[in-house]
Amino acid sequence: MSWRNLFKPSVKYSLFTLVAVGIAIGVVGYFVSQQVLHATSTDEFCMTCHSNHSLKDEVLASSHGNNRAGIVVECQQCHIAQEPFNYLVKKIIVSKDIWGYLTIDGFNTQEWLDANRKEQADLALVYLRKIDSSTCRNCHNHVYEDQPEAMKTMARRMHERNFAKDPADRKTCVDCHKGVAHPYPKG
Ligand code: HEC
Ligand code: HEC
Ligand code: HEC
Ligand code: HEC
């Protein structure tokens, strides 16, 4: 077969059929990947590997699972950047956890979490700093610009002072707010 044949419509199938099949494959592929991304964003998915960890109970006991508004914040709403590109990048990084899951001795036990909490918490914070706490800001938007009357004076003063700084010198939410969903280890 010469290279020219690659560009010639197949004899057996019309060009129209080939294009139609191509579009169908593309559409199916798009929906499958959307479904996979969606399925891998639920709390249930996260808890398949973390099933023996107290993480979900901690969220339910915190202000992010037990509040007047009755909102239970999902794992991914805090942990995975929502912007499409960052979202994909984080997903690809999380997929490395499959390897960790298979190779880290005793990973899915509460003892492992207790023993490694500080290190894991700091890894989570590195990521949140990298995205400038964008996940927090998705819900707590304009926290600096519109300080509600009800907000404590102390909080208002800290937020105003931080916001007045040059953007490059500003602290990010998680620099001041640790342990908003899980107990942040001391020391
Ligand atoms: C395939 C199993 C698996 C799944 C599914 C999984 N994790 Fe993990 N997770 C791990 C492993 C293993 C580690 C420890 C990684 C290490 O230290 O190398 C970890 C660590 C973490 C950490 C702390 C370390 C870091 O890099 O931030 C966070 C936060 C985390 N997972 C959140 C989640 C969330 C949120 C989900 C659901 C979107 C999730 N995990 C789904 C296996 C998994
Ligand atoms: C899905 C929305 C959502 C996300 C994402 C979210 N929060 Fe919240 N946050 C809430 C709700 C709802 C409350 C409870 C408000 C109430 O009790 O009136 C709350 C309460 C708080 C409070 C006050 C109570 C406390 O625990 O001190 C702080 C501080 C806070 N969030 C910081 C954060 C930070 C930091 C992040 C990112 C790591 C974050 N939030 C992510 C919705 C969210
Ligand atoms: C320079 C430190 C600092 C930074 C940065 C900061 N906060 Fe705060 N924030 C505070 C302090 C201090 C309080 C009051 C302490 C408390 O009540 O827990 C507070 C209180 C809050 C509260 C509770 C307010 C209430 O109703 O009483 C929320 C929600 C909150 N911060 C969200 C955020 C978010 C979102 C960000 C990032 C955009 C952020 N904060 C950045 C220091 C900070
Ligand atoms: C309100 C935001 C928020 C929610 C909801 C949330 N996390 Fe976290 N998570 C954090 C932050 C912030 C840290 C970094 C350490 C800290 O400040 O406590 C963290 C740390 C972690 C760690 C590292 C170990 C530790 O305890 O610090 C793991 C693992 C983790 N989260 C998994 C989960 C899983 C699984 C869910 C859902 C059941 C979840 N998180 C829900 C904000 C959240």
Side-chain angles (χ1 to χ4, degrees):
M1 176 165 132
S2 89
W3 62 272
R4 275 168 202 277
N5 287 345
L6 289 176
F7 298 97
K8 264 200 258 163
S10 155
V11 241
K12 249 164 102 193
Y13 305 102
S14 73
L15 185 60
F16 175 80
T17 312
L18 291 177
V19 168
V21 168
I23 290 172
I25 290 171
V27 168
V28 169
Y30 174 80
F31 282 107
V32 168
S33 62
Q34 289 299 307
Q35 285 300 314
V36 170
L37 283 177
H38 194 80
T40 56
S41 297
T42 60
D43 285 12
E44 288 72 27
F45 170 73
C46 303
M47 295 308 287
T48 50
C49 291
H50 292 278
S51 62
N52 295 315
H53 294 158
S54 51
L55 299 159
K56 176 87 186 190
D57 295 336
E58 291 159 7
V59 173
L60 291 172
S62 78
S63 55
H64 286 99
N66 181 16
N67 50 59
R68 263 168 299 141
I71 296 168
V72 177
V73 180
E74 293 169 24
C75 315
Q76 55 96 10
Q77 287 180 298
C78 284
H79 283 290
I80 301 179
Q82 309 291 304
E83 301 78 11
F85 181 71
N86 283 347
Y87 187 78
L88 274 172
V89 169
K90 176 68 179 171
K91 283 286 187 202
I92 293 160
I93 295 169
V94 166
S95 68
K96 281 201 302 202
D97 287 349
I98 296 174
W99 179 246
Y101 182 77
L102 296 172
T103 54
I104 299 172
D105 212 26
F107 168 74
N108 195 11
T109 60
Q110 186 63 27
E111 292 71 33
W112 185 88
L113 182 62
D114 292 340
N116 294 277
R117 180 83 82 163
K118 181 77 166 73
E119 182 200 281
Q120 294 293 309
D122 290 340
L123 282 173
L125 289 172
V126 165
Y127 174 70
L128 288 170
R129 288 198 186 96
K130 200 159 68 196
I131 59 168
D132 191 15
S133 312
S134 74
T135 52
C136 313
R137 291 186 287 109
N138 283 337
C139 288
H140 299 282
N141 48 355
H142 305 301
V143 85
Y144 297 142
E145 291 88 337
D146 321 317
Q147 306 262 16
E149 277 306 315
M151 193 181 272
K152 291 186 206 119
T153 323
M154 157 83 145
R156 252 203 269 187
R157 198 175 300 145
M158 295 295 274
H159 291 160
E160 273 161 17
R161 204 180 292 161
N162 190 48
F163 191 50
K165 286 187 186 149
D166 195 69
D169 300 329
R170 260 179 223 161
K171 289 194 161 145
T172 190
C173 314
V174 295
D175 286 331
C176 294
H177 295 288
K178 293 194 174 59
V180 292
H182 324 280
Y184 185 73
K186 293 186 187 73

